[in-house]
Structures are given as C-alpha cells and as structure tokens.
Amino acid sequence: MTKPNYGVVSIVGVGLIGASLGLALKQAGVVTKVLGVGRSQSNLEQALKIGAIDGAVDLVDAAKQSDLIVLCVPVAQMRATFAAIEPHLASKTLITDAGSTKGDVILAAKEVLGKKACQFVPAHPIAGGAQHGASAAKADLFFGKQVIICPLQENSPQDIALIEKFWQAVGALVKMLSSVQHDAIYAAVSHLPHILSYALMASVINSEDAADKLSHIGAGFKDFTRIAASSPEMWRDICLANSTSILKELDQYLAIVQHLRKLIADNDGAGIERLFAKASKARQDLDAS
Amino acid sequence: MTKPNYGVVSIVGVGLIGASLGLALKQAGVVTKVLGVGRSQSNLEQALKIGAIDGAVDLVDAAKQSDLIVLCVPVAQMRATFAAIEPHLASKTLITDAGSTKGDVILAAKEVLGKKACQFVPAHPIAGGAQHGASAAKADLFFGKQVIICPLQENSPQDIALIEKFWQAVGALVKMLSSVQHDAIYAAVSHLPHILSYALMASVINSEDAADKLSHIGAGFKDFTRIAASSPEMWRDICLANSTSILKELDQYLAIVQHLRKLIADNDGAGIERLFAKASKARQDLDAS
C-alpha cells in the first residue's frame, strides 16, 4: 500500500493547531511541501524554525500553489480568508478547516465561495489546550484525538474520503456529524464550560477579598478553571459564532443552578444529595469508560 | 531536637482523610498508637490492613483513652460526635478536626462541649480528591498542602501551638484564619466550583441528546467536571453547613454569568473579549505563581 500524498499543503494560521498540523504532516511523510500563511511575523518565523512549514506565502500564492489548503484561523476570520482565496482557487484544490464552530463557517463558505463551496470539506479537530502559538506546537497533537467532519451536500464522496484520510494521516479518529448536531453538542460539552470557567475567574477577581481567595485555591479550583486560561479572542469568536446553541445550553444550565440554589436556601438536604449523586455517578462513569 | 509525641491518637472517621492521617502519623513516628473509629466495618478493616490504625474502638473508648482526637467525619455528623465524646472527655485530651466548614462545627462544639470547647482547636486540611474511602489513603496526602486552623478565643496559646505542630508533623503548611474568613473564602474557591461542576454534569445528563454529548467530551470538560465525582453526602453537608456564604458567592457568580449571557445575546464581541481577557490573565497568573 502506497502512502497518500497531499502534494503542496498550505496552512493558514500557524498557531498551536496550524503549526502542530505542519509538524504532524511532515512527520507522517504525506506531503510534498508545507506552506504557512500568518498574520504574525514572529509566529511564522517560529513555525519555520521548528520545521512546521517549509516557507511563508501570502493568501493569494497559497490559493494558487496548493493542492490542499487548511484554514486554522479563528472562526471570525474565516469569511475574509475565503474571500481572499476564492478568485485564485484552482478547481483541483481542496479546502478543509479547524474551526471550533461549523454552522457559521459553512455559511461564510457558501456565501463567499459560491459554486466553489463544493471544494470545502469542513472539519473540527478536538485538540488544543490552554497554550497557544507555534511555540507550543507538537507533532502528536492530533494523535488519538477526534476530528469531526461535517460534509456539505455539495461535497463529492471522493473529496470527503480524501479529507477523512488526511486527518487520519496525522493520527486522528474521524467522526461524521451534521453541522447542526456538531454545534449543539459542542455548545454543551465545550463552549459552555469555557464560558462558566471564565465567569468563575471573573467573579473571584471582582470580589473585595480577591487576594485572600486566590491565596487559598486548591486542586479542585485549578482543574475547574484550567480552561479559563484559553485565548480570549478565540472564545469570543466562538461565543458570537455559535450564540444560538450556546444560549440554549446556558439557559438549561442556569435552570439547574437556580434549582440547586433553591434547594440550598430551603435547607433541602435530600434534594441536594439526589442531584449530586446523579451527577457524581455520571462523572465517575466517564472515567470508567 | 526531640520529636514531639502525641501519644494515643484516635481518628474518628477512617475515610480518605482519616486513614491518610493515620498512615502519615505513623510514618512520621510521632504517635504511640493510632485508634480508629468508624461506621463502616469494611473501611475499618481496610484501615487496619494498610496499617493506618492499630486498632478499632468505639467513641466512648476513644474519648477515654486518647491524648488527641481527630474528627474526620462529614461536617453534619460533628454535633453527634461531640455529644458522644463529651461525657468521657478527660481534661488533658485535645480535639481537632478536618471539617470543610468551620462556623457550623464551632457552633456545635460550643453548644455541646460547653466549657470543654477550649479543648477543641478547629482545623481544615486542604487535601483530598475525588476518590474516597480508606482504600484511597496515602501517607503523603497532606505533604505540602495547606491546613487552615481557626482558633477559638477559648483555646490556650499552648494548645493552638500543639495542634499547629501536629499538622506540620504530617507535612502540612499551617495558616491561621478566623472561621468567618475561612467560610467566606472556601465558599468561593471550593464550595461554589463543586456546586457548579455537579450542575453541569446534571445539565448534560438531563438533556435529550445526553449520549451524543457524553461521547464527544474532551479534556476541557473532563477538567471542569473532575470535582463532580466527589462524595454527594459530603458536599450535601457542606452546602447545608455553609449555606449563607455559598448563596452570597453563588449570587455574585450568577450576576456575572447573566452579564455574559446578555453580551452574547447582544453580539457584543468587545465586551465578551474584555471579560474573557481579564479572567484568562488571572488564571495564567495562578499557574505562574
């Protein structure tokens, strides 16, 4: 079995995700050349230095020269990126992305790319971490991690299969979901926890005795707020891009918290324990599975 | 310098905290004998088997035979435990505890022990974890961890110093706080995160597509909900024992979440980013400190 080769791959956005993808593709030996596009000169230089990319180009050259373009920019920048690429996009060139939300990115692709939207196979690698920038890149970032692909009706089965194998080539486990399912699920299991974690940090530092509180935190608080160290810009974009699903999940969550608040105010020990026991069992099952 | 010796130490409640304390005291070589008191025969047997205690006794014998009694029971059981000990408590015997709340435990001690309340030096070791029971015990559980002591006005300086050295003997870093300060601080940095974490698990498993959501969780969700695996009984007790401080902190938190909800609904990217950036910097500072 010969290895697939994706030819010239351009990575737009060489932060943690983009630079890790470059390292992983080169380590897997499935590319002819990796080109990088970035806003930050220092990030591009860092990506070159660690060997994540072989050269830096602008969006126009990326569109012209690439067999495959991977968009790793924050989701709010996807529309402008599609617009810059579109006039120069050859019909053989495929596009995939690493955006954390899918409905908004797909809408932008359809509106901007028009007929060429069939060349875009949307994806979301469930990988990353609190650190960002090319300096945090790791070749094994995607290894054993899920990548969700949300195919468009316009995509050909061949192109979907090609993008599926592309993400598998860097070690990822590919799952298919509709973009609606994707955005609802990740609002609950990723976007909401980030918002709640940011809110707890904000609540503690806003309080009068913030310094006292911060000097007494333990492992539980650190675990709970670890994701609050994430990129404010990226999570702002996600909140705006997936606001409908996020608000729905947030309101369901707030109803439970208000219920718990009432149980505590009413001194209802049995009610509190019932809710905690159900949650505790579910959380223990997660670790056991 | 000769080692201190705390003579016969009884540990009431040989769960994770109590059994770890027994192991740590014996490893430090600062006790003559460790006796265990427990509700669960299997837990007592486990504590004996791993060498956390030298023998099992009832509360009356513990009160009669001990130089020091350490109460490691859930906070809701403190009052009944004080009541069982009080009639048999010799004047030389000191008591300390490991309760996660202090105002309610001190109130119970004063009401039940009366004049003997001066023999009780309240403490709260900031140690533990999601696992519970003697089988999870570790001799180094307290090593490098904070123990908060909330001295009573009735305590003698000698007794406070003795209890301070006792917790230091198992490796802990002792800090003094008033019980009011303690309960306010831990409501914010420990009790509230536990409640919010239980609530998120409950919200996810209550939703129609719970199975889909649970199959897509990542590291962030796992970090955020790790403390939701904690003991429902223990956290029910804490919610009841510290309800005033918890409700105050919860309402401050809910105000921030409602503010964020409005920013998201209003599509106010600048406002969202400002709040996230402040929280993110504070969380990054925690790791740097």
Side-chain angles (χ1 to χ4, degrees):
Chain A
M1 210 174 83
T2 56
K3 268 191 197 177
N5 190 299
Y6 297 93
V8 176
V9 176
S10 281
I11 296 175
V12 184
V14 287
L16 171 63
I17 298 289
S20 294
L21 182 61
L23 287 177
L25 288 170
K26 292 177 73 177
Q27 195 171 87
V30 293
V31 287
T32 308
K33 192 160 70 171
V34 176
L35 299 175
V37 184
R39 290 182 298 176
S40 141
Q41 194 57 35
S42 68
N43 226 0
L44 277 174
E45 278 165 16
Q46 180 67 22
L48 272 167
K49 194 175 135 197
I50 62 174
I53 58 176
D54 300 303
V57 291
D58 62 17
L59 273 176
V60 172
D61 279 331
K64 286 180 179 164
Q65 295 178 28
S66 305
D67 299 293
L68 174 61
I69 301 171
V70 188
L71 306 184
C72 302
V73 296
V75 286
Q77 292 164 37
M78 293 288 187
R79 180 176 292 266
T81 310
F82 285 128
I85 287 173
E86 191 275 333
H88 314 283
L89 195 65
S91 62
K92 60 146 194 175
T93 306
L94 280 182
I95 309 173
T96 186
D97 77 320
S100 307
T101 53
K102 295 271 69 77
D104 63 311
V105 176
I106 289 170
L107 182 68
K110 291 192 176 183
E111 289 181 356
V112 175
L113 297 180
K115 278 191 185 165
K116 296 179 184 171
C118 64
Q119 294 169 243
F120 172 51
V121 183
H124 173 202
I126 315 302
Q131 294 180 301
H132 27 108
S135 55
K138 297 186 296 186
D140 65 352
L141 187 72
F142 306 101
F143 197 84
K145 302 286 168 56
Q146 286 189 357
V147 169
I148 311 298
I149 291 182
C150 302
L152 306 184
Q153 290 203 314
E154 293 88 336
N155 294 146
S156 74
Q158 290 77 7
D159 288 347
I160 297 170
L162 208 141
I163 295 299
E164 183 177 7
K165 286 203 179 65
F166 172 77
W167 286 108
Q168 287 169 341
V170 294
L173 311 168
V174 172
K175 282 186 82 164
M176 302 283 169
L177 284 179
S178 75
S179 62
V180 173
Q181 280 180 302
H182 171 279
D183 287 355
I185 288 171
Y186 285 94
V189 303
S190 171
H191 310 167
L192 182 60
H194 277 81
I195 291 166
L196 300 175
S197 183
Y198 279 125
L200 184 68
M201 276 310 304
S203 183
V204 168
I205 59 179
N206 275 357
S207 57
E208 274 178 35
D209 50 352
D212 270 347
K213 284 173 177 166
L214 290 172
S215 72
H216 287 91
I217 56 157
F221 186 90
K222 284 201 168 183
D223 280 347
F224 187 95
T225 56
R226 186 158 295 122
I227 48 182
S230 308
S231 156
E233 185 191 18
M234 174 179 158
W235 285 95
R236 173 203 66 194
D237 286 357
I238 289 172
C239 285
L240 299 176
N242 198 25
S243 58
T244 309
S245 295
I246 288 173
L247 291 175
K248 185 174 162 234
E249 294 296 331
L250 180 54
D251 288 342
Q252 282 173 12
Y253 176 76
L254 285 173
I256 301 234
V257 173
Q258 291 292 3
H259 175 60
L260 250 174
R261 193 202 180 287
K262 187 170 175 344
L263 293 173
I264 295 171
D266 291 349
N267 231 29
D268 184 347
I272 296 169
E273 189 179 2
R274 211 155 37 231
L275 197 153
F276 284 3
K278 216 175 141 187
S280 176
K281 173 154 191 330
R283 184 58 184 82
Q284 286 174 26
D285 289 349
L286 277 189
D287 278 337
S289 66
Chain B
M1 210 174 84
T2 55
K3 267 190 196 180
N5 189 301
Y6 298 93
V8 177
V9 175
S10 281
I11 296 175
V12 184
V14 287
L16 171 64
I17 298 290
S20 294
L21 181 61
L23 287 177
L25 288 170
K26 292 176 73 177
Q27 194 171 87
V30 292
V31 287
T32 308
K33 194 160 69 173
V34 176
L35 301 175
V37 183
R39 289 182 299 175
S40 141
Q41 192 58 34
S42 69
N43 226 0
L44 277 173
E45 277 165 16
Q46 180 67 22
L48 272 165
K49 195 176 134 196
I50 62 174
I53 58 175
D54 300 303
V57 292
D58 62 17
L59 273 176
V60 173
D61 279 333
K64 286 180 179 166
Q65 294 177 29
S66 305
D67 299 293
L68 175 61
I69 301 171
V70 188
L71 305 184
C72 302
V73 296
V75 286
Q77 293 164 38
M78 293 287 186
R79 181 176 290 267
T81 310
F82 285 129
I85 288 171
E86 191 275 334
H88 313 283
L89 195 64
S91 62
K92 61 149 192 172
T93 305
L94 280 182
I95 309 174
T96 186
D97 78 319
S100 307
T101 54
K102 295 271 69 74
D104 64 312
V105 175
I106 290 170
L107 182 68
K110 290 193 175 181
E111 288 181 357
V112 174
L113 297 179
K115 279 191 183 165
K116 297 179 184 173
C118 64
Q119 295 170 243
F120 173 52
V121 183
H124 174 202
I126 315 301
Q131 293 181 300
H132 26 107
S135 56
K138 298 186 294 184
D140 65 352
L141 187 71
F142 307 101
F143 197 85
K145 303 286 168 57
Q146 286 190 357
V147 169
I148 312 297
I149 292 182
C150 303
L152 306 183
Q153 289 203 317
E154 293 89 336
N155 294 146
S156 74
Q158 292 77 9
D159 287 348
I160 296 170
L162 209 141
I163 294 299
E164 184 177 6
K165 287 203 178 64
F166 172 78
W167 286 106
Q168 286 169 341
V170 294
L173 311 169
V174 172
K175 283 186 81 163
M176 302 283 169
L177 284 179
S178 76
S179 62
V180 173
Q181 282 180 301
H182 171 279
D183 287 355
I185 288 170
Y186 285 95
V189 302
S190 172
H191 309 168
L192 182 60
H194 277 81
I195 291 166
L196 299 175
S197 182
Y198 280 125
L200 184 68
M201 275 311 302
S203 182
V204 169
I205 59 179
N206 276 355
S207 58
E208 273 178 37
D209 51 350
D212 269 347
K213 284 173 177 165
L214 291 172
S215 72
H216 288 92
I217 57 160
F221 186 90
K222 284 201 168 183
D223 279 347
F224 186 94
T225 56
R226 187 158 294 121
I227 48 182
S230 307
S231 157
E233 185 189 17
M234 174 179 157
W235 286 94
R236 173 203 65 195
D237 287 357
I238 289 172
C239 285
L240 298 176
N242 198 25
S243 58
T244 309
S245 295
I246 287 173
L247 291 175
K248 186 174 162 234
E249 295 296 331
L250 180 54
D251 288 343
Q252 283 173 10
Y253 176 76
L254 285 174
I256 302 234
V257 174
Q258 291 293 3
H259 175 61
L260 250 174
R261 193 201 179 288
K262 187 169 175 343
L263 293 172
I264 295 170
D266 292 349
N267 231 28
D268 184 347
I272 296 169
E273 188 178 2
R274 211 155 40 230
L275 197 153
F276 284 3
K278 216 175 141 188
S280 176
K281 173 158 191 329
R283 183 58 185 82
Q284 286 174 25
D285 289 348
L286 276 189
D287 278 338
S289 68

